[in-house]
Every structure is written in structure tokens, then in C-alpha cells.
Amino acid sequence: MSEFIEKDDLGIIQMFGSVINELKKREIIKTKNIVGDLGESFAIRYYNENSELPSLQDMPVGTKYFDAKSGDGSRYTIKTTTTKTTGVFNGLNELNCMLPEEKRFDYVIIVVLHLDNLLPQEIYEISWSDFLVHKRWNSSKKTWNLTITKRLKADAKLRYSINN
């Protein structure tokens, strides 16, 4: 892109700052977690624009355990990735804990973004019970995440694919 060639490093950084400010003004991102915010925005907009899916209300920053709620009160946590592994799920029991797991949300929406352009490639949805089956312990972070495997894809509902 020629506008990049014409700018020095500080000019590019300034452009980046301007883009971030515009994304915040348009309420596409809310925090410094740009990838996570983009995924949440894509998922909520996609669900709300698709009459076959529940309409989702975005939760305020700082809401624990879930990111959106549907009209029937179902709670959705939204995880975004550019790889095969999601971010972590906080507030769950640790590995080998014998206590029953408190249900923190009803569904997980997984948004897979293309690494190069951050556009959505796929959106998957799994239930709480499927989450419990597929969650994996992240020993370095001492919490759970999901890995997008063939098995998870088979259990998930594919809500969006760039190929469709």
C-alpha cells in the first residue's frame, strides 16, 4: 500500500493509533485486547443480523464469565483466536478439583480470525456441556482453554464460514 511507503515508522504508528481510536469510536473494540474485541464484535453483529440465530446483547466491560446475553437470558462467552487455541476461561475449578463445576455460561462462541487480515474465517458455537468435554488444562496459565480439533468441530455448530 502506497500510504505506508510514504510514511516513516512514527507515521505508521500514528496511523495505527488513529485506526484504534476510530474502531473505539465505532464501538468495534472496547479495550486493548484488539483481537478479542474484534471477535466479540463480529460474533454479536453476525448473530444479530442473522434471523436464524438469537439476538445478542453485548455486556459491559468487566462482566465476569460471559460477554453477551440472548433475549431468553442465555449467556454466551466469546473467544477469538488466530490459531487453533482459544484464550483462557477464568473462574473455573482447577485441574483435579473434586467440586462440581459451577455453570458460568450457557454457550461458547469461538471466532477464528485470519492471521494476516483479522477477518472472520469461521464461527463455532458449543454448549456448556460440550465445553466441559473439550476443555483442556493450560498448565502454564493454570486455567482452561479450548483447542479447535476435528472432534470439537464435529460437536460444534458451524455458524459462519468464509467458504459458505
Side-chain angles (χ1 to χ4, degrees), residues 112-152:
V112 181
L113 301 182
H114 192 281
L115 181 60
D116 293 332
N117 60 23
L118 299 180
L119 293 177
Q121 300 299 294
E122 298 165 325
I123 299 176
Y124 297 97
E125 180 185 304
I126 62 171
S127 66
W128 170 259
S129 57
D130 283 332
F131 166 75
L132 294 176
V133 169
H134 292 284
K135 67 183 175 136
R136 294 189 178 182
W137 183 250
N138 181 323
S139 57
S140 64
K141 295 184 180 177
K142 304 254 187 273
T143 191
W144 301 95
N145 61 24
L146 290 169
T147 301
I148 304 168
T149 62
K150 288 180 183 177
R151 195 168 144 233
L152 182 139

Side-chain angles (χ1 to χ4, degrees), residues 94-113:
E94 289 196 19
L95 184 66
N96 299 322
C97 178
M98 300 314 248
L99 297 172
E101 192 68 71
E102 183 179 338
K103 188 175 184 182
R104 302 289 188 186
F105 46 83
D106 300 294
Y107 299 96
V108 179
I109 297 172
I110 304 167
V111 181
V112 181
L113 301 182

Side-chain angles (χ1 to χ4, degrees), residues 14 26 30 37 45-46 50 54 66-68 70 75 89 99 115 118 126 131 144 146 157 162-163:
Q14 185 177 23
R26 294 181 185 206
K30 303 179 279 187
D37 285 353
R45 287 175 187 221
Y46 183 74
N50 189 324
F66 62 98
D67 304 300
S70 67
R75 300 163 299 167
F89 292 82
L99 297 172
L115 181 60
L118 299 180
I126 62 171
F131 166 75
W144 301 95
L146 290 169
K157 293 179 182 174
I162 191 81
N163 299 322

Side-chain angles (χ1 to χ4, degrees), residues 30 58-64 66-67:
K30 303 179 279 187
D58 193 14
M59 295 286 91
V61 173
T63 301
K64 285 188 172 190
F66 62 98
D67 304 300

